[in-house]
Amino acid sequence: MRTILFSLFGALLLMTAGCSKNNAGTPTPDSGKGGSLARFTIVGNYMYVVNSKQLKAYDVSTPGAPVFKNEVSLGWDIETIFPYDGNLFVGSSTGLYICSLADPASPKLAGQVQHLRACDPVVATGNTAYVTLRAGTGCGGTQNALMVYDVADIRVPRMLRSIALSGPYGLGVSGTALYVCDGINGLLIYDISTREQPNLEDRIYGHDFRDVIPHRGVLIAQLANGVAFYDISRPRQPALLSTLLH
Amino acid sequence: MLRIIFPCLLILLVLSSFYPVYKAPAPEIVDGYVPIYGPADHPSLKIGAAAVRPIVNGGKIFVIGDKLFQVEVGAGIHIIDYADRQHPEKLGFLTVPGCTEVALKDSMLFTNHYGDMVVLDVSKYPVVEEKSRMLNVFPEVTPETPPERMVYYECVDRSKGSVIGWEKKKVSTLNCFFR
């Protein structure tokens, strides 16, 4: 019995090893995931792109031949796009826009909220959206902060809270953990068991953290000089798995 | 008439004495970009597979299956296999001049070649096929703008050749600014 189990285990190992050596981008059931700083995002058979002024929608049901569908003019200095729960959260240097994907080929501006001038990626979970504001030479403004918005009604997002930070970049959510990249000031881990009240629990130093993707139990961190992988089977206690630097 | 104009002028004169004299802000030295020049047919100006290279200016990431893609800002995309979470390794590099974005659907990779959006079939990497191109999706991005927005950069001097890349350096705020 034991030998059978072992050989089965061995065969499984060989199979997984074989899969891992496939070519880049081999089709998998996994539809992929980007970070919070992205200007590209794919939702189902549509791809959404933000340039500095517009949100554009493409039909990518045949991925090799995208078909332009529609565009929405949103204002100035648009920077990031984040899909959540049938909506697109669009970050610009002057505010947060929420576009409905009720018709995925034709996103419609549903709500917006203005904030002080800064660079600002967005993530959302439940009825709460988290936005980081980063001030600086390029971004303008003087405020570095984590902003918490109630988006239960996307037509009227409400600011709930603002927490001062050093110079934040991207952010991500997994379960009751909110990860905020504060550049060289570390990766901040907030407990968001109470969604509207992030509570700073831990901080990981040692890298210039720019963005994160929580994905299938692993937190992938974008660093200024590479990537780092953390096990987040316990989301609020990331455990370093490896780094790939330079 | 004069009786009205004269007091008005007087008030203006008094008010203007409180108004601070406008001074241009002093130039600062900040993080920015400097162009690297080369011939117009330089290999780093062509989309295609290339050897593994160091991550110098690591940009945005996209994960799909056990593969992770990281932008090398302005130059291309690192392809990383992290099936073994403890020992991720680079599989190769995709040269895409001006690239800042990356996303995949199946084995089609979406990125930007300067201002154009391109779809590259990477299923047979290192053979890379351009399947589609949408012109001017990012109309403000050109070979002569740096690979990051909201930064100062040394203005391009065409007499020095084609811009084949960008280097992160300290620059003066008297230079060009990319919004």
Side-chain angles (χ1 to χ4, degrees), chain A residues 27-105:
Chain A
T28 61
D30 178 5
S31 60
K33 204 170 171 191
S36 67
L37 301 173
R39 284 178 177 275
F40 281 180
T41 194
I42 297 168
V43 182
N45 281 327
Y46 288 88
M47 157 124 189
Y48 303 97
V49 178
V50 284
N51 63 25
S52 63
K53 299 183 191 108
Q54 301 149 316
L55 163 64
K56 292 170 184 270
Y58 297 86
D59 181 341
V60 290
S61 34
T62 309
V67 179
F68 173 74
K69 299 306 273 188
N70 272 297
E71 65 187 28
V72 193
S73 288
L74 288 178
W76 301 94
D77 291 347
I78 293 166
E79 293 165 333
T80 61
I81 183 168
F82 181 84
Y84 180 70
D85 196 23
N87 298 301
L88 293 173
F89 288 74
V90 177
S92 88
S93 69
T94 53
L96 164 67
Y97 300 92
I98 305 176
C99 295
S100 159
L101 293 181
D103 176 1

Side-chain angles (χ1 to χ4, degrees), chain A residues 19-28 30-35 37-42 44-45 47 49-54 56 58 60-61 63-66 77-79 93 117 119 134 137-139 210-213 215-216 218 220-227 229 241-246, chain B residues 28 30-31 53-70 79-91 100-108 110-112 117-119 122-126 131-132 134 136-140 148-152 168 173 177 179:
Chain A
C19 292
S20 71
K21 291 296 172 199
N22 276 349
N23 285 330
T26 302
T28 61
D30 178 5
S31 60
K33 204 170 171 191
L37 301 173
R39 284 178 177 275
F40 281 180
T41 194
I42 297 168
N45 281 327
M47 157 124 189
V49 178
V50 284
N51 63 25
S52 63
K53 299 183 191 108
Q54 301 149 316
K56 292 170 184 270
Y58 297 86
V60 290
S61 34
D77 291 347
I78 293 166
E79 293 165 333
S93 69
R117 222 190 130 65
C119 292
R134 185 166 63 87
T137 323
C139 299
R210 296 302 174 90
D211 203 2
V212 283
I213 304 177
H215 187 63
R216 303 202 296 193
V218 178
I220 304 166
Q222 171 195 334
L223 312 174
N225 61 346
V227 279
F229 300 88
L241 290 165
S242 56
T243 54
L244 186 66
L245 303 177
H246 310 295
Chain B
E28 279 179 74
V30 297
D31 288 323
R53 57 183 262 181
I55 302 166
V56 177
N57 191 2
K60 298 178 190 181
I61 52 178
F62 190 92
V63 58
I64 185 164
D66 289 329
K67 303 290 187 297
L68 177 67
F69 295 78
Q70 181 170 34
I79 305 172
I80 297 159
D81 184 334
Y82 78 109
D84 179 350
R85 308 302 197 234
Q86 252 118 30
H87 303 97
E89 58 171 340
K90 288 183 208 156
L91 294 179
T100 52
E101 305 297 323
V102 62
L104 280 96
K105 185 168 166 61
D106 304 332
S107 54
M108 295 295 163
F110 295 74
T111 184
N112 64 305
M117 180 161 90
V118 290
V119 185
V122 292
S123 61
K124 296 179 190 74
Y125 184 90
K131 301 290 280 188
S132 180
M134 275 131 289
N136 279 318
V137 170
F138 299 118
E140 54 287 323
E148 198 180 331
R149 290 172 205 234
M150 306 291 178
V151 291
Y152 286 93
K168 261 191 164 165
T173 52
F177 183 72
R179 209 185 168 91

Side-chain angles (χ1 to χ4, degrees), chain A residues 167-178:
Chain A
Y169 291 88
L171 68 175
V173 170
S174 178
T176 57
L178 168 69

Side-chain angles (χ1 to χ4, degrees), chain B:
Chain B
M1 187 64 187
L2 250 181
R3 250 194 289 170
I4 302 169
I5 291 176
F6 189 70
C8 283
L9 276 176
L10 204 71
I11 290 166
L12 261 176
L13 195 75
V14 172
L15 279 178
S16 67
S17 64
F18 290 104
Y19 194 78
V21 179
Y22 176 75
K23 272 197 214 121
E28 279 179 74
I29 302 297
V30 297
D31 288 323
Y33 281 92
V34 172
I36 304 167
Y37 297 96
D41 60 353
H42 194 277
S44 65
L45 292 179
K46 273 195 208 79
I47 292 178
V52 165
R53 57 183 262 181
I55 302 166
V56 177
N57 191 2
K60 298 178 190 181
I61 52 178
F62 190 92
V63 58
I64 185 164
D66 289 329
K67 303 290 187 297
L68 177 67
F69 295 78
Q70 181 170 34
V71 168
E72 179 66 36
V73 179
I77 297 161
H78 300 279
I79 305 172
I80 297 159
D81 184 334
Y82 78 109
D84 179 350
R85 308 302 197 234
Q86 252 118 30
H87 303 97
E89 58 171 340
K90 288 183 208 156
L91 294 179
F93 188 76
L94 202 57
T95 304
V96 184
C99 139
T100 52
E101 305 297 323
V102 62
L104 280 96
K105 185 168 166 61
D106 304 332
S107 54
M108 295 295 163
L109 184 146
F110 295 74
T111 184
N112 64 305
H113 178 218
Y114 300 114
D116 294 350
M117 180 161 90
V118 290
V119 185
L120 307 175
D121 182 348
V122 292
S123 61
K124 296 179 190 74
Y125 184 90
V127 176
V128 177
E129 191 192 345
E130 183 177 318
K131 301 290 280 188
S132 180
R133 173 178 291 260
M134 275 131 289
L135 301 175
N136 279 318
V137 170
F138 299 118
E140 54 287 323
V141 180
T142 75
E144 298 187 353
T145 52
E148 198 180 331
R149 290 172 205 234
M150 306 291 178
V151 291
Y152 286 93
Y153 65 102
E154 197 179 283
C155 314
V156 169
D157 177 356
R158 288 184 185 168
S159 71
K160 292 181 177 169
S162 300
V163 178
I164 59 161
W166 293 85
E167 199 181 348
K168 261 191 164 165
K169 267 194 179 164
K170 298 276 180 193
V171 297
S172 157
T173 52
L174 290 176
N175 275 295
C176 292
F177 183 72
F178 183 41
R179 209 185 168 91

Side-chain angles (χ1 to χ4, degrees), chain A residues 197-210:
Chain A
Q197 203 164 349
N199 182 32
L200 183 62
E201 266 199 354
D202 202 358
R203 186 189 288 253
I204 299 172
Y205 287 101
H207 297 291
D208 187 348
F209 290 93
R210 296 302 174 90

